[in-house]
Amino acid sequence: MSKKYTGSCACGAVTYGFDSEPSFIANCHCTDCKRSSGGEMATFAAVPDADFTVSGADTTKTYSYGPDAETCAGKGLDRVFCTNCGSRAYTNNLKDFPGIVFVQEGTLDRLDEWFPPQAEIFTWSREKWLPALDIAQYDHRAPA
Ligand SMILES: [Zn+2]
Ligand SMILES: [Zn+2]
């Protein structure tokens, strides 16, 4: 794969690449990202769907989240994971952001190529023991 940035699932059956510099990078603390990643948050980078290539897509499965105003699922999206190892590699079919793929930074090949987050989102569900980074903070709590 000749893309500038590459990544893969844990077992390597699913690989991906893109050349674009991400337009948006966030730490998402929403409850969907907690459940699907198994951690407190997920760090993802937004890249154009047209630039995003996947190899081994037949080894992926998607699970649709949303609509949910209290998570980053928003109007709805699909989280894509490897059916062999379970790694969640990327998110697509975002109803709120057509033409964009969210790459899970934990699946990037090179640790020194993680894109630093520009914002923390869905901070209403950030765990109290986790301090905020010195970047933009978005609560996103739905009006009661
Ligand atoms: Zn895998
Ligand atoms: Zn999220």
Side-chain angles (χ1 to χ4, degrees):
M1 196 174 291
S2 60
K3 293 283 188 176
K4 183 173 179 187
Y5 302 106
T6 57
S8 77
C9 65
C11 76
V14 181
T15 59
Y16 65 78
F18 56 96
D19 289 319
S20 313
E21 299 303 319
S23 53
F24 179 69
I25 306 113
N27 281 347
C28 185
H29 299 275
C30 87
T31 51
D32 286 348
C33 281
K34 290 188 200 320
R35 286 206 176 85
S36 62
S37 72
E40 203 283 335
M41 65 172 140
T43 304
F44 57 74
V47 300
D49 201 1
D51 177 39
F52 188 74
T53 58
V54 178
S55 155
D58 55 334
T59 316
T60 63
K61 193 169 177 193
T62 63
Y63 186 79
S64 298
Y65 284 71
D68 189 341
E70 293 204 328
T71 73
C72 70
K75 293 192 180 80
L77 48 72
D78 291 343
R79 301 189 196 277
V80 184
F81 58 95
C82 174
T83 55
N84 188 48
C85 70
S87 282
R88 166 185 158 198
Y90 55 96
T91 299
N92 62 15
N93 293 325
L94 294 100
K95 305 236 176 7
D96 291 297
F97 303 99
I100 292 289
V101 173
F102 285 167
V103 175
Q104 300 303 132
E105 294 216 332
T107 61
L108 286 168
D109 284 335
R110 291 172 290 277
L111 276 176
D112 59 348
E113 289 186 352
W114 276 50
F115 307 98
Q118 301 158 329
E120 295 199 277
I121 61 176
F122 293 91
T123 59
W124 74 266
S125 49
R126 176 172 45 214
E127 287 296 315
K128 300 300 172 240
W129 44 258
L130 187 65
L133 294 177
D134 188 18
I135 54 178
Q137 302 286 315
Y138 297 98
D139 181 274
H140 291 292
R141 189 189 291 276

